[in-house]
Amino acid sequence: MIAERLDQFMARANAIYYASHDPFADFTTAPEVSQVFGELLGLWAAIAWDRVGRPDPVLLVEAGPGRGTLMADALRAVARAQPDFAAAAQVHLIETSPRLRAAQAARLQQAAPKQVTWHQALSELPDGPMILLANEFLDALPIRQFVRRGTGWAERYVGNGAWVEEPVVPPALPPLRSVAEGRIVEINEPARAFAAVAAARLRTFGGVALFIDYGADAGARTEAPGDTLQAIADGRMVNPLSAAGSADLTAHVDFADLARAAAAAGAAVQGPVTQRRFLLQLGARERTERLAASAPPHQAETLRGGLARLIDAAQMGTLFKVMALTAPHCPALPGLAED
Ligand code: SAH
């Protein structure tokens, strides 16, 4: 068997995985943990829409919407809190999995009946200003890995379920202070491309794009984070190279690299901040307590437990980061102010 470059292996494996599995049987994401997550993102989108001049119509876009839970919760919250935005918003979903498209259609039909248009890629969206949301989308895009060997580099390939290295002159890597022998450096080319296309759209038509994902803190880093490729099957970490398509393959998002790609394409960047900071600044605690106050005791416990999972440092609170791309000279957006 001929060895496959890691990004090709990852793209092929995830295409099989998403077409044949219910990914949410294997892992849980923030919108599935608490309805407050999607509701606050909806309110965030409404405020962002206001700050960029209330364009009407506006594309309300989600990339990688999973089960459609985030968008359903967001639309429900927006319909009540900011009906002008709800009326102006045209919903567009970027999703490659036919199976998940069907789940999204069912969920949105039932929760928030509104016309929805699906796309394979960001470049397919119609022209116009957009508010884009993407939670745990970039981590699913295929990465390449390079290993320091002597004064040069090798690239990692997968052959017969094992790593194979090929000497290579790598494309632009993130700026590194020093790289020890054997150290792994990752790049996510589709994430860079997504940021660049989003940036060009924001510059031309206006709007904002919000990314939430797990990854190392952008600014503070002095060393490459190394190998962050992971595979989850049945809620457990498994060997990423075993049976392509039987596990969900993801990697940490390099927010500094994403910000550079977006800035090079003319966008401004706000954040990243931790998910904890973002959600607390948006009033996640108050919203949770308000819901808990009128819920039966076991449901109140579930709501409080869900919030803890989203904001505690030991859980998703600090590993997850939030970053926005905007057109140049956009006013400060809610939740993204640094300490
Ligand atoms: N945002 C959701 C789902 C995260 S899982 C949540 O928070 O629950 C990743 C999602 O991205 C899935 O919907 C998957 O089908 C989609 N996806 C993965 N690769 C994609 C690609 N290249 N283009 C569009 N969608 C993709």
mmCIF file with all atom_site columns, all heavy atoms in Angstrom, residues 18 24 27 29-32 62-66 94-97 100 104 120 135-137 140-141, ligand 1:
data_model
loop_
_atom_site.group_PDB
_atom_site.id
_atom_site.type_symbol
_atom_site.label_atom_id
_atom_site.label_alt_id
_atom_site.label_comp_id
_atom_site.label_asym_id
_atom_site.label_entity_id
_atom_site.label_seq_id
_atom_site.pdbx_PDB_ins_code
_atom_site.Cartn_x
_atom_site.Cartn_y
_atom_site.Cartn_z
_atom_site.occupancy
_atom_site.B_iso_or_equiv
_atom_site.pdbx_formal_charge
_atom_site.auth_seq_id
_atom_site.auth_comp_id
_atom_site.auth_asym_id
_atom_site.auth_atom_id
_atom_site.pdbx_PDB_model_num
ATOM   1   N N   . TYR A 1 18  ? -17.945 10.476 9.322  1.00 0.00 ? 18  TYR A N   1
ATOM   2   C CA  . TYR A 1 18  ? -19.144 11.319 9.434  1.00 0.00 ? 18  TYR A CA  1
ATOM   3   C C   . TYR A 1 18  ? -20.306 10.773 8.610  1.00 0.00 ? 18  TYR A C   1
ATOM   4   O O   . TYR A 1 18  ? -21.466 11.041 8.897  1.00 0.00 ? 18  TYR A O   1
ATOM   5   C CB  . TYR A 1 18  ? -18.836 12.774 9.043  1.00 0.00 ? 18  TYR A CB  1
ATOM   6   C CG  . TYR A 1 18  ? -18.216 13.546 10.183 1.00 0.00 ? 18  TYR A CG  1
ATOM   7   C CD1 . TYR A 1 18  ? -16.858 13.805 10.218 1.00 0.00 ? 18  TYR A CD1 1
ATOM   8   C CD2 . TYR A 1 18  ? -18.993 13.987 11.246 1.00 0.00 ? 18  TYR A CD2 1
ATOM   9   C CE1 . TYR A 1 18  ? -16.289 14.491 11.281 1.00 0.00 ? 18  TYR A CE1 1
ATOM   10  C CE2 . TYR A 1 18  ? -18.444 14.662 12.307 1.00 0.00 ? 18  TYR A CE2 1
ATOM   11  C CZ  . TYR A 1 18  ? -17.078 14.924 12.321 1.00 0.00 ? 18  TYR A CZ  1
ATOM   12  O OH  . TYR A 1 18  ? -16.545 15.583 13.366 1.00 0.00 ? 18  TYR A OH  1
ATOM   13  N N   . PHE A 1 24  ? -22.212 12.190 17.590 1.00 0.00 ? 24  PHE A N   1
ATOM   14  C CA  . PHE A 1 24  ? -22.586 12.622 18.935 1.00 0.00 ? 24  PHE A CA  1
ATOM   15  C C   . PHE A 1 24  ? -22.808 11.446 19.882 1.00 0.00 ? 24  PHE A C   1
ATOM   16  O O   . PHE A 1 24  ? -23.010 11.646 21.073 1.00 0.00 ? 24  PHE A O   1
ATOM   17  C CB  . PHE A 1 24  ? -23.790 13.561 18.866 1.00 0.00 ? 24  PHE A CB  1
ATOM   18  C CG  . PHE A 1 24  ? -23.425 14.814 18.128 1.00 0.00 ? 24  PHE A CG  1
ATOM   19  C CD1 . PHE A 1 24  ? -23.624 14.921 16.766 1.00 0.00 ? 24  PHE A CD1 1
ATOM   20  C CD2 . PHE A 1 24  ? -22.803 15.859 18.794 1.00 0.00 ? 24  PHE A CD2 1
ATOM   21  C CE1 . PHE A 1 24  ? -23.242 16.052 16.078 1.00 0.00 ? 24  PHE A CE1 1
ATOM   22  C CE2 . PHE A 1 24  ? -22.419 16.990 18.109 1.00 0.00 ? 24  PHE A CE2 1
ATOM   23  C CZ  . PHE A 1 24  ? -22.638 17.092 16.742 1.00 0.00 ? 24  PHE A CZ  1
ATOM   24  N N   . PHE A 1 27  ? -18.872 11.763 21.056 1.00 0.00 ? 27  PHE A N   1
ATOM   25  C CA  . PHE A 1 27  ? -18.384 12.912 21.832 1.00 0.00 ? 27  PHE A CA  1
ATOM   26  C C   . PHE A 1 27  ? -19.496 13.933 22.002 1.00 0.00 ? 27  PHE A C   1
ATOM   27  O O   . PHE A 1 27  ? -20.492 13.917 21.270 1.00 0.00 ? 27  PHE A O   1
ATOM   28  C CB  . PHE A 1 27  ? -17.164 13.568 21.166 1.00 0.00 ? 27  PHE A CB  1
ATOM   29  C CG  . PHE A 1 27  ? -17.407 14.054 19.764 1.00 0.00 ? 27  PHE A CG  1
ATOM   30  C CD1 . PHE A 1 27  ? -17.994 15.299 19.517 1.00 0.00 ? 27  PHE A CD1 1
ATOM   31  C CD2 . PHE A 1 27  ? -17.043 13.276 18.685 1.00 0.00 ? 27  PHE A CD2 1
ATOM   32  C CE1 . PHE A 1 27  ? -18.210 15.743 18.217 1.00 0.00 ? 27  PHE A CE1 1
ATOM   33  C CE2 . PHE A 1 27  ? -17.259 13.712 17.379 1.00 0.00 ? 27  PHE A CE2 1
ATOM   34  C CZ  . PHE A 1 27  ? -17.845 14.943 17.147 1.00 0.00 ? 27  PHE A CZ  1
ATOM   35  N N   . THR A 1 29  ? -20.495 18.136 22.459 1.00 0.00 ? 29  THR A N   1
ATOM   36  C CA  . THR A 1 29  ? -19.993 19.488 22.225 1.00 0.00 ? 29  THR A CA  1
ATOM   37  C C   . THR A 1 29  ? -20.789 20.485 23.068 1.00 0.00 ? 29  THR A C   1
ATOM   38  O O   . THR A 1 29  ? -21.857 20.152 23.581 1.00 0.00 ? 29  THR A O   1
ATOM   39  C CB  . THR A 1 29  ? -20.151 19.850 20.742 1.00 0.00 ? 29  THR A CB  1
ATOM   40  O OG1 . THR A 1 29  ? -21.533 19.680 20.393 1.00 0.00 ? 29  THR A OG1 1
ATOM   41  C CG2 . THR A 1 29  ? -19.285 18.965 19.852 1.00 0.00 ? 29  THR A CG2 1
ATOM   42  N N   . ALA A 1 30  ? -20.284 21.709 23.156 1.00 0.00 ? 30  ALA A N   1
ATOM   43  C CA  . ALA A 1 30  ? -20.881 22.719 24.034 1.00 0.00 ? 30  ALA A CA  1
ATOM   44  C C   . ALA A 1 30  ? -22.390 22.924 23.813 1.00 0.00 ? 30  ALA A C   1
ATOM   45  O O   . ALA A 1 30  ? -23.141 22.970 24.787 1.00 0.00 ? 30  ALA A O   1
ATOM   46  C CB  . ALA A 1 30  ? -20.119 24.038 23.888 1.00 0.00 ? 30  ALA A CB  1
ATOM   47  N N   . PRO A 1 31  ? -22.869 23.042 22.569 1.00 0.00 ? 31  PRO A N   1
ATOM   48  C CA  . PRO A 1 31  ? -24.314 23.258 22.409 1.00 0.00 ? 31  PRO A CA  1
ATOM   49  C C   . PRO A 1 31  ? -25.149 22.084 22.924 1.00 0.00 ? 31  PRO A C   1
ATOM   50  O O   . PRO A 1 31  ? -26.312 22.273 23.281 1.00 0.00 ? 31  PRO A O   1
ATOM   51  C CB  . PRO A 1 31  ? -24.520 23.437 20.898 1.00 0.00 ? 31  PRO A CB  1
ATOM   52  C CG  . PRO A 1 31  ? -23.199 23.315 20.254 1.00 0.00 ? 31  PRO A CG  1
ATOM   53  C CD  . PRO A 1 31  ? -22.158 23.121 21.295 1.00 0.00 ? 31  PRO A CD  1
ATOM   54  N N   . GLU A 1 32  ? -24.559 20.884 22.961 1.00 0.00 ? 32  GLU A N   1
ATOM   55  C CA  . GLU A 1 32  ? -25.266 19.708 23.462 1.00 0.00 ? 32  GLU A CA  1
ATOM   56  C C   . GLU A 1 32  ? -25.214 19.641 24.987 1.00 0.00 ? 32  GLU A C   1
ATOM   57  O O   . GLU A 1 32  ? -25.979 18.916 25.616 1.00 0.00 ? 32  GLU A O   1
ATOM   58  C CB  . GLU A 1 32  ? -24.662 18.421 22.873 1.00 0.00 ? 32  GLU A CB  1
ATOM   59  C CG  . GLU A 1 32  ? -24.560 18.390 21.350 1.00 0.00 ? 32  GLU A CG  1
ATOM   60  C CD  . GLU A 1 32  ? -25.914 18.434 20.657 1.00 0.00 ? 32  GLU A CD  1
ATOM   61  O OE1 . GLU A 1 32  ? -26.909 17.980 21.251 1.00 0.00 ? 32  GLU A OE1 1
ATOM   62  O OE2 . GLU A 1 32  ? -25.976 18.954 19.520 1.00 0.00 ? 32  GLU A OE2 1
ATOM   63  N N   . GLU A 1 62  ? -23.614 29.232 9.763  1.00 0.00 ? 62  GLU A N   1
ATOM   64  C CA  . GLU A 1 62  ? -22.886 28.373 10.692 1.00 0.00 ? 62  GLU A CA  1
ATOM   65  C C   . GLU A 1 62  ? -22.080 27.360 9.901  1.00 0.00 ? 62  GLU A C   1
ATOM   66  O O   . GLU A 1 62  ? -22.594 26.731 8.970  1.00 0.00 ? 62  GLU A O   1
ATOM   67  C CB  . GLU A 1 62  ? -23.818 27.656 11.683 1.00 0.00 ? 62  GLU A CB  1
ATOM   68  C CG  . GLU A 1 62  ? -22.998 26.922 12.746 1.00 0.00 ? 62  GLU A CG  1
ATOM   69  C CD  . GLU A 1 62  ? -23.816 26.176 13.783 1.00 0.00 ? 62  GLU A CD  1
ATOM   70  O OE1 . GLU A 1 62  ? -25.051 26.298 13.790 1.00 0.00 ? 62  GLU A OE1 1
ATOM   71  O OE2 . GLU A 1 62  ? -23.180 25.458 14.579 1.00 0.00 ? 62  GLU A OE2 1
ATOM   72  N N   . ALA A 1 63  ? -20.828 27.196 10.284 1.00 0.00 ? 63  ALA A N   1
ATOM   73  C CA  . ALA A 1 63  ? -19.965 26.192 9.657  1.00 0.00 ? 63  ALA A CA  1
ATOM   74  C C   . ALA A 1 63  ? -19.903 24.969 10.559 1.00 0.00 ? 63  ALA A C   1
ATOM   75  O O   . ALA A 1 63  ? -19.636 25.081 11.751 1.00 0.00 ? 63  ALA A O   1
ATOM   76  C CB  . ALA A 1 63  ? -18.565 26.763 9.443  1.00 0.00 ? 63  ALA A CB  1
ATOM   77  N N   . GLY A 1 64  ? -20.175 23.805 9.994  1.00 0.00 ? 64  GLY A N   1
ATOM   78  C CA  . GLY A 1 64  ? -20.147 22.550 10.762 1.00 0.00 ? 64  GLY A CA  1
ATOM   79  C C   . GLY A 1 64  ? -21.180 22.515 11.863 1.00 0.00 ? 64  GLY A C   1
ATOM   80  O O   . GLY A 1 64  ? -20.840 22.387 13.036 1.00 0.00 ? 64  GLY A O   1
ATOM   81  N N   . PRO A 1 65  ? -22.486 22.624 11.519 1.00 0.00 ? 65  PRO A N   1
ATOM   82  C CA  . PRO A 1 65  ? -23.519 22.792 12.555 1.00 0.00 ? 65  PRO A CA  1
ATOM   83  C C   . PRO A 1 65  ? -23.898 21.519 13.315 1.00 0.00 ? 65  PRO A C   1
ATOM   84  O O   . PRO A 1 65  ? -24.794 21.584 14.166 1.00 0.00 ? 65  PRO A O   1
ATOM   85  C CB  . PRO A 1 65  ? -24.743 23.301 11.766 1.00 0.00 ? 65  PRO A CB  1
ATOM   86  C CG  . PRO A 1 65  ? -24.276 23.519 10.358 1.00 0.00 ? 65  PRO A CG  1
ATOM   87  C CD  . PRO A 1 65  ? -23.055 22.684 10.166 1.00 0.00 ? 65  PRO A CD  1
ATOM   88  N N   . GLY A 1 66  ? -23.283 20.389 13.053 1.00 0.00 ? 66  GLY A N   1
ATOM   89  C CA  . GLY A 1 66  ? -23.552 19.182 13.842 1.00 0.00 ? 66  GLY A CA  1
ATOM   90  C C   . GLY A 1 66  ? -25.010 18.778 13.781 1.00 0.00 ? 66  GLY A C   1
ATOM   91  O O   . GLY A 1 66  ? -25.562 18.531 12.716 1.00 0.00 ? 66  GLY A O   1
ATOM   92  N N   . ILE A 1 94  ? -23.017 25.530 6.401  1.00 0.00 ? 94  ILE A N   1
ATOM   93  C CA  . ILE A 1 94  ? -21.935 24.902 5.635  1.00 0.00 ? 94  ILE A CA  1
ATOM   94  C C   . ILE A 1 94  ? -21.705 23.521 6.236  1.00 0.00 ? 94  ILE A C   1
ATOM   95  O O   . ILE A 1 94  ? -21.264 23.398 7.381  1.00 0.00 ? 94  ILE A O   1
ATOM   96  C CB  . ILE A 1 94  ? -20.651 25.749 5.692  1.00 0.00 ? 94  ILE A CB  1
ATOM   97  C CG1 . ILE A 1 94  ? -20.934 27.146 5.127  1.00 0.00 ? 94  ILE A CG1 1
ATOM   98  C CG2 . ILE A 1 94  ? -19.519 25.071 4.926  1.00 0.00 ? 94  ILE A CG2 1
ATOM   99  C CD1 . ILE A 1 94  ? -19.819 28.140 5.363  1.00 0.00 ? 94  ILE A CD1 1
ATOM   100 N N   . GLU A 1 95  ? -22.052 22.493 5.492  1.00 0.00 ? 95  GLU A N   1
ATOM   101 C CA  . GLU A 1 95  ? -22.005 21.125 6.030  1.00 0.00 ? 95  GLU A CA  1
ATOM   102 C C   . GLU A 1 95  ? -21.778 20.151 4.886  1.00 0.00 ? 95  GLU A C   1
ATOM   103 O O   . GLU A 1 95  ? -22.493 20.188 3.891  1.00 0.00 ? 95  GLU A O   1
ATOM   104 C CB  . GLU A 1 95  ? -23.329 20.805 6.742  1.00 0.00 ? 95  GLU A CB  1
ATOM   105 C CG  . GLU A 1 95  ? -23.466 19.373 7.233  1.00 0.00 ? 95  GLU A CG  1
ATOM   106 C CD  . GLU A 1 95  ? -22.400 19.013 8.243  1.00 0.00 ? 95  GLU A CD  1
ATOM   107 O OE1 . GLU A 1 95  ? -22.437 19.556 9.356  1.00 0.00 ? 95  GLU A OE1 1
ATOM   108 O OE2 . GLU A 1 95  ? -21.518 18.200 7.912  1.00 0.00 ? 95  GLU A OE2 1
ATOM   109 N N   . THR A 1 96  ? -20.800 19.269 5.038  1.00 0.00 ? 96  THR A N   1
ATOM   110 C CA  . THR A 1 96  ? -20.505 18.306 3.980  1.00 0.00 ? 96  THR A CA  1
ATOM   111 C C   . THR A 1 96  ? -21.200 16.958 4.201  1.00 0.00 ? 96  THR A C   1
ATOM   112 O O   . THR A 1 96  ? -21.375 16.207 3.247  1.00 0.00 ? 96  THR A O   1
ATOM   113 C CB  . THR A 1 96  ? -18.978 18.069 3.880  1.00 0.00 ? 96  THR A CB  1
ATOM   114 O OG1 . THR A 1 96  ? -18.457 17.961 5.202  1.00 0.00 ? 96  THR A OG1 1
ATOM   115 C CG2 . THR A 1 96  ? -18.292 19.213 3.167  1.00 0.00 ? 96  THR A CG2 1
ATOM   116 N N   . SER A 1 97  ? -21.577 16.650 5.420  1.00 0.00 ? 97  SER A N   1
ATOM   117 C CA  . SER A 1 97  ? -22.153 15.329 5.706  1.00 0.00 ? 97  SER A CA  1
ATOM   118 C C   . SER A 1 97  ? -23.651 15.302 5.415  1.00 0.00 ? 97  SER A C   1
ATOM   119 O O   . SER A 1 97  ? -24.428 16.009 6.047  1.00 0.00 ? 97  SER A O   1
ATOM   120 C CB  . SER A 1 97  ? -21.905 14.968 7.176  1.00 0.00 ? 97  SER A CB  1
ATOM   121 O OG  . SER A 1 97  ? -22.838 13.991 7.600  1.00 0.00 ? 97  SER A OG  1
ATOM   122 N N   . LEU A 1 100 ? -25.679 14.515 8.561  1.00 0.00 ? 100 LEU A N   1
ATOM   123 C CA  . LEU A 1 100 ? -25.876 15.615 9.510  1.00 0.00 ? 100 LEU A CA  1
ATOM   124 C C   . LEU A 1 100 ? -26.761 16.710 8.910  1.00 0.00 ? 100 LEU A C   1
ATOM   125 O O   . LEU A 1 100 ? -27.508 17.362 9.642  1.00 0.00 ? 100 LEU A O   1
ATOM   126 C CB  . LEU A 1 100 ? -24.532 16.167 9.982  1.00 0.00 ? 100 LEU A CB  1
ATOM   127 C CG  . LEU A 1 100 ? -23.811 15.224 10.962 1.00 0.00 ? 100 LEU A CG  1
ATOM   128 C CD1 . LEU A 1 100 ? -22.431 15.743 11.321 1.00 0.00 ? 100 LEU A CD1 1
ATOM   129 C CD2 . LEU A 1 100 ? -24.637 15.007 12.224 1.00 0.00 ? 100 LEU A CD2 1
ATOM   130 N N   . GLN A 1 104 ? -29.893 18.355 10.836 1.00 0.00 ? 104 GLN A N   1
ATOM   131 C CA  . GLN A 1 104 ? -30.036 19.813 10.989 1.00 0.00 ? 104 GLN A CA  1
ATOM   132 C C   . GLN A 1 104 ? -31.407 20.274 10.462 1.00 0.00 ? 104 GLN A C   1
ATOM   133 O O   . GLN A 1 104 ? -32.071 21.095 11.094 1.00 0.00 ? 104 GLN A O   1
ATOM   134 C CB  . GLN A 1 104 ? -28.901 20.530 10.239 1.00 0.00 ? 104 GLN A CB  1
ATOM   135 C CG  . GLN A 1 104 ? -27.530 20.308 10.874 1.00 0.00 ? 104 GLN A CG  1
ATOM   136 C CD  . GLN A 1 104 ? -26.386 20.350 9.882  1.00 0.00 ? 104 GLN A CD  1
ATOM   137 O OE1 . GLN A 1 104 ? -26.511 20.908 8.793  1.00 0.00 ? 104 GLN A OE1 1
ATOM   138 N NE2 . GLN A 1 104 ? -25.244 19.780 10.257 1.00 0.00 ? 104 GLN A NE2 1
ATOM   139 N N   . GLN A 1 120 ? -21.596 23.405 0.515  1.00 0.00 ? 120 GLN A N   1
ATOM   140 C CA  . GLN A 1 120 ? -20.440 22.536 0.745  1.00 0.00 ? 120 GLN A CA  1
ATOM   141 C C   . GLN A 1 120 ? -19.264 23.320 1.307  1.00 0.00 ? 120 GLN A C   1
ATOM   142 O O   . GLN A 1 120 ? -18.433 22.758 2.004  1.00 0.00 ? 120 GLN A O   1
ATOM   143 C CB  . GLN A 1 120 ? -19.984 21.913 -0.581 1.00 0.00 ? 120 GLN A CB  1
ATOM   144 C CG  . GLN A 1 120 ? -20.859 20.824 -1.112 1.00 0.00 ? 120 GLN A CG  1
ATOM   145 C CD  . GLN A 1 120 ? -20.757 19.548 -0.277 1.00 0.00 ? 120 GLN A CD  1
ATOM   146 O OE1 . GLN A 1 120 ? -21.737 19.107 0.307  1.00 0.00 ? 120 GLN A OE1 1
ATOM   147 N NE2 . GLN A 1 120 ? -19.557 18.984 -0.188 1.00 0.00 ? 120 GLN A NE2 1
ATOM   148 N N   . ASN A 1 135 ? -18.453 26.468 15.850 1.00 0.00 ? 135 ASN A N   1
ATOM   149 C CA  . ASN A 1 135 ? -18.022 25.816 17.089 1.00 0.00 ? 135 ASN A CA  1
ATOM   150 C C   . ASN A 1 135 ? -17.494 24.425 16.774 1.00 0.00 ? 135 ASN A C   1
ATOM   151 O O   . ASN A 1 135 ? -18.200 23.620 16.151 1.00 0.00 ? 135 ASN A O   1
ATOM   152 C CB  . ASN A 1 135 ? -19.199 25.714 18.067 1.00 0.00 ? 135 ASN A CB  1
ATOM   153 C CG  . ASN A 1 135 ? -18.767 25.085 19.382 1.00 0.00 ? 135 ASN A CG  1
ATOM   154 O OD1 . ASN A 1 135 ? -17.920 25.645 20.084 1.00 0.00 ? 135 ASN A OD1 1
ATOM   155 N ND2 . ASN A 1 135 ? -19.316 23.933 19.709 1.00 0.00 ? 135 ASN A ND2 1
ATOM   156 N N   . GLU A 1 136 ? -16.285 24.139 17.192 1.00 0.00 ? 136 GLU A N   1
ATOM   157 C CA  . GLU A 1 136 ? -15.656 22.831 16.929 1.00 0.00 ? 136 GLU A CA  1
ATOM   158 C C   . GLU A 1 136 ? -15.767 22.430 15.458 1.00 0.00 ? 136 GLU A C   1
ATOM   159 O O   . GLU A 1 136 ? -16.097 21.295 15.136 1.00 0.00 ? 136 GLU A O   1
ATOM   160 C CB  . GLU A 1 136 ? -16.248 21.748 17.839 1.00 0.00 ? 136 GLU A CB  1
ATOM   161 C CG  . GLU A 1 136 ? -15.798 21.913 19.282 1.00 0.00 ? 136 GLU A CG  1
ATOM   162 C CD  . GLU A 1 136 ? -15.784 20.600 20.043 1.00 0.00 ? 136 GLU A CD  1
ATOM   163 O OE1 . GLU A 1 136 ? -15.199 19.636 19.518 1.00 0.00 ? 136 GLU A OE1 1
ATOM   164 O OE2 . GLU A 1 136 ? -16.341 20.546 21.141 1.00 0.00 ? 136 GLU A OE2 1
ATOM   165 N N   . PHE A 1 137 ? -15.513 23.372 14.579 1.00 0.00 ? 137 PHE A N   1
ATOM   166 C CA  . PHE A 1 137 ? -15.496 23.109 13.145 1.00 0.00 ? 137 PHE A CA  1
ATOM   167 C C   . PHE A 1 137 ? -14.051 22.972 12.653 1.00 0.00 ? 137 PHE A C   1
ATOM   168 O O   . PHE A 1 137 ? -13.685 21.983 12.009 1.00 0.00 ? 137 PHE A O   1
ATOM   169 C CB  . PHE A 1 137 ? -16.220 24.238 12.407 1.00 0.00 ? 137 PHE A CB  1
ATOM   170 C CG  . PHE A 1 137 ? -15.969 24.278 10.923 1.00 0.00 ? 137 PHE A CG  1
ATOM   171 C CD1 . PHE A 1 137 ? -16.435 23.255 10.111 1.00 0.00 ? 137 PHE A CD1 1
ATOM   172 C CD2 . PHE A 1 137 ? -15.263 25.325 10.347 1.00 0.00 ? 137 PHE A CD2 1
ATOM   173 C CE1 . PHE A 1 137 ? -16.185 23.289 8.732  1.00 0.00 ? 137 PHE A CE1 1
ATOM   174 C CE2 . PHE A 1 137 ? -15.024 25.357 8.973  1.00 0.00 ? 137 PHE A CE2 1
ATOM   175 C CZ  . PHE A 1 137 ? -15.487 24.333 8.171  1.00 0.00 ? 137 PHE A CZ  1
ATOM   176 N N   . ALA A 1 140 ? -11.853 19.782 13.029 1.00 0.00 ? 140 ALA A N   1
ATOM   177 C CA  . ALA A 1 140 ? -12.142 18.587 12.227 1.00 0.00 ? 140 ALA A CA  1
ATOM   178 C C   . ALA A 1 140 ? -11.463 18.635 10.862 1.00 0.00 ? 140 ALA A C   1
ATOM   179 O O   . ALA A 1 140 ? -11.495 17.656 10.114 1.00 0.00 ? 140 ALA A O   1
ATOM   180 C CB  . ALA A 1 140 ? -13.648 18.444 12.045 1.00 0.00 ? 140 ALA A CB  1
ATOM   181 N N   . LEU A 1 141 ? -10.857 19.772 10.520 1.00 0.00 ? 141 LEU A N   1
ATOM   182 C CA  . LEU A 1 141 ? -10.237 19.906 9.197  1.00 0.00 ? 141 LEU A CA  1
ATOM   183 C C   . LEU A 1 141 ? -8.849  19.258 9.212  1.00 0.00 ? 141 LEU A C   1
ATOM   184 O O   . LEU A 1 141 ? -8.156  19.260 10.224 1.00 0.00 ? 141 LEU A O   1
ATOM   185 C CB  . LEU A 1 141 ? -10.152 21.388 8.811  1.00 0.00 ? 141 LEU A CB  1
ATOM   186 C CG  . LEU A 1 141 ? -11.509 22.118 8.782  1.00 0.00 ? 141 LEU A CG  1
ATOM   187 C CD1 . LEU A 1 141 ? -11.318 23.581 8.389  1.00 0.00 ? 141 LEU A CD1 1
ATOM   188 C CD2 . LEU A 1 141 ? -12.488 21.435 7.834  1.00 0.00 ? 141 LEU A CD2 1
HETATM 189 N N1  . SAH B 2 .   ? -20.650 22.640 15.656 1.00 0.00 ? 1   SAH B N1  1
HETATM 190 C C1  . SAH B 2 .   ? -21.263 21.384 16.068 1.00 0.00 ? 1   SAH B C1  1
HETATM 191 C C2  . SAH B 2 .   ? -20.600 20.139 15.463 1.00 0.00 ? 1   SAH B C2  1
HETATM 192 C C3  . SAH B 2 .   ? -19.128 19.935 15.608 1.00 0.00 ? 1   SAH B C3  1
HETATM 193 S S1  . SAH B 2 .   ? -18.585 18.452 14.799 1.00 0.00 ? 1   SAH B S1  1
HETATM 194 C C4  . SAH B 2 .   ? -21.334 21.312 17.559 1.00 0.00 ? 1   SAH B C4  1
HETATM 195 O O1  . SAH B 2 .   ? -20.727 22.145 18.219 1.00 0.00 ? 1   SAH B O1  1
HETATM 196 O O2  . SAH B 2 .   ? -22.004 20.424 18.082 1.00 0.00 ? 1   SAH B O2  1
HETATM 197 C C5  . SAH B 2 .   ? -17.927 19.057 13.271 1.00 0.00 ? 1   SAH B C5  1
HETATM 198 C C6  . SAH B 2 .   ? -18.952 19.453 12.249 1.00 0.00 ? 1   SAH B C6  1
HETATM 199 O O3  . SAH B 2 .   ? -18.262 19.929 11.083 1.00 0.00 ? 1   SAH B O3  1
HETATM 200 C C7  . SAH B 2 .   ? -19.857 18.350 11.750 1.00 0.00 ? 1   SAH B C7  1
HETATM 201 O O4  . SAH B 2 .   ? -21.123 18.913 11.488 1.00 0.00 ? 1   SAH B O4  1
HETATM 202 C C8  . SAH B 2 .   ? -19.150 17.895 10.466 1.00 0.00 ? 1   SAH B C8  1
HETATM 203 O O5  . SAH B 2 .   ? -19.968 17.199 9.592  1.00 0.00 ? 1   SAH B O5  1
HETATM 204 C C9  . SAH B 2 .   ? -18.716 19.232 9.925  1.00 0.00 ? 1   SAH B C9  1
HETATM 205 N N2  . SAH B 2 .   ? -17.600 19.205 8.970  1.00 0.00 ? 1   SAH B N2  1
HETATM 206 C C10 . SAH B 2 .   ? -16.432 18.526 9.092  1.00 0.00 ? 1   SAH B C10 1
HETATM 207 N N3  . SAH B 2 .   ? -15.611 18.808 8.056  1.00 0.00 ? 1   SAH B N3  1
HETATM 208 C C11 . SAH B 2 .   ? -16.271 19.693 7.272  1.00 0.00 ? 1   SAH B C11 1
HETATM 209 C C12 . SAH B 2 .   ? -15.940 20.377 6.054  1.00 0.00 ? 1   SAH B C12 1
HETATM 210 N N4  . SAH B 2 .   ? -14.778 20.202 5.446  1.00 0.00 ? 1   SAH B N4  1
HETATM 211 N N5  . SAH B 2 .   ? -16.846 21.232 5.550  1.00 0.00 ? 1   SAH B N5  1
HETATM 212 C C13 . SAH B 2 .   ? -18.043 21.429 6.164  1.00 0.00 ? 1   SAH B C13 1
HETATM 213 N N6  . SAH B 2 .   ? -18.395 20.814 7.311  1.00 0.00 ? 1   SAH B N6  1
HETATM 214 C C14 . SAH B 2 .   ? -17.526 19.954 7.853  1.00 0.00 ? 1   SAH B C14 1
#
